């Protein structure tokens, strides 16, 4: 299955996930100027070189098969806002540093202009469905979403998308000054119906700290 060549993933309400492009760099820089982005994200982007480096990191992730980042777009919203059709409204990513593991982590951010319209939950729904379908044969059975305990908006998005709160992880100052929530979504039964031997092959551990998005 050529998941590394995936060009677009459809989502609810006209949403479309696609790979990041060079022409998205101005939108990326603008997104990271938002104070909320500086507050909640561990990885920060500034300046043309920083944006180019972030984009290159996403390309390397796709090439290695360990990190799959999509620009979140929604043509209908772009037209209503008067912006260019297909302009990024956010980022959503599947992180699989060990493809042999049966678990992976998801993360996302949305631009200031996109918030309050269900973009995050629709994007997470699309990515979740894609991930379980795309990596079922590799043994992916569990997705985890991590956020800081005071990020109530992310908690609501996780629960709306079927990611139940599984545990609380303790703070690790100075990088993680507050406790964190780990939300979990298990693969649907159809994705679990492969042979037991394949499941055992792919079993592993996960659930580390949220990495930079």
């Amino acid at each position: 299955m050529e998941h590394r060549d995936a060009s677009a993933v459809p989502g609810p309400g006209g949403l479309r996930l696609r790979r990041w492009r060079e022409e998205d760099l101005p939108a990326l820089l603008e997104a990271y100027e938002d104070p909320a982005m500086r507050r909640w994200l561990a990885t920060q982007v500034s300046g043309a070189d920083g944006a180019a480096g972030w984009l290159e990191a996403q390309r390397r992730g796709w090439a290695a098969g360990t990190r799959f980042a999509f620009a979140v777009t929604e043509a209908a919203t772009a037209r209503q806002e008067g912006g260019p059709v297909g302009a990024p409204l956010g980022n959503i990513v599947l992180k699989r540093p060990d493809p042999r593991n049966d678990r992976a982590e998801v993360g996302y951010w949305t631009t200031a202009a996109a918030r309050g319209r269900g973009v995050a939950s629709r994007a997470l729904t699309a990515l979740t469905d894609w991930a379980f379908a795309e990596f079922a044969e590799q043994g992916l059975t569990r997705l985890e979403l991590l956020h800081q305990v005071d990020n109530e908006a992310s908690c609501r998005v996780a629960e709306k998308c079927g990611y139940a709160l599984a545990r609380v992880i303790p703070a690790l100052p100075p990088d993680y000054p507050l406790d964190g929530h780990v939300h979990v979504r298990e693969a649907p039964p159809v994705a679990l119906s492969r042979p037991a031997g394949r499941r055992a092959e792919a079993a592993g551990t996960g659930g580390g700290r949220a990495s930079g998005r």
Side-chain angles (χ1 to χ4, degrees):
M1 185 176 293
E2 292 296 328
H3 56 265
R4 297 183 191 179
D5 293 332
S7 57
V9 176
L15 202 74
R16 180 173 176 266
L17 313 183
R18 61 162 174 80
R19 293 179 65 166
W20 285 86
R21 307 166 179 165
E22 292 283 351
E23 56 263 36
D24 297 326
L25 290 178
L28 179 67
L29 281 171
E30 182 179 355
Y32 270 91
E33 291 175 357
D34 177 23
M37 297 276 281
R38 293 195 292 270
R39 177 183 180 185
W40 297 119
L41 300 187
T43 298
Q44 296 297 311
V45 174
S46 62
D49 289 345
W54 185 91
L55 187 64
E56 179 58 28
Q58 313 318 308
R59 288 175 179 156
R60 289 197 303 267
W62 275 91
T66 57
R67 183 181 179 92
F68 305 93
F70 292 92
V72 180
T73 67
E74 189 180 39
T77 298
R79 292 191 192 99
Q80 291 167 6
E81 296 289 327
V85 173
L89 300 178
N91 176 63
I92 192 151
V93 59
L94 176 74
K95 293 171 271 189
R96 298 190 73 209
D98 183 358
R100 298 167 299 179
N101 201 320
D102 64 343
R103 303 180 183 188
E105 183 185 342
V106 297
Y108 71 89
W109 53 257
T110 55
T111 65
R115 291 174 201 144
R117 292 190 271 115
V119 170
S121 58
R122 286 185 286 142
L124 181 56
T125 296
L127 183 78
T128 300
D129 292 345
W130 174 80
F132 281 138
E134 196 72 22
F135 298 103
E137 292 183 2
Q138 294 185 22
L140 180 65
T141 61
R142 179 184 176 102
L143 294 177
E144 298 184 344
L145 186 152
L146 290 77
H147 67 81
Q148 195 166 281
V149 68
D150 59 340
N151 191 341
E152 296 179 1
S154 282
C155 215
R156 290 193 296 271
V157 168
E159 292 174 349
K160 182 177 181 179
C161 295
Y163 283 74
L165 179 60
R167 66 185 187 280
V168 176
I169 50 179
L172 287 175
D175 292 336
Y176 303 98
L178 298 178
D179 292 349
H181 281 181
V182 180
H183 293 261
V184 170
R185 173 83 180 263
E186 302 288 348
V190 66
L192 295 172
S193 61
R194 60 188 178 280
R198 190 61 180 266
R199 290 199 298 272
E201 254 177 43
T205 61
R209 280 284 177 179
S211 55
R213 295 179 174 82

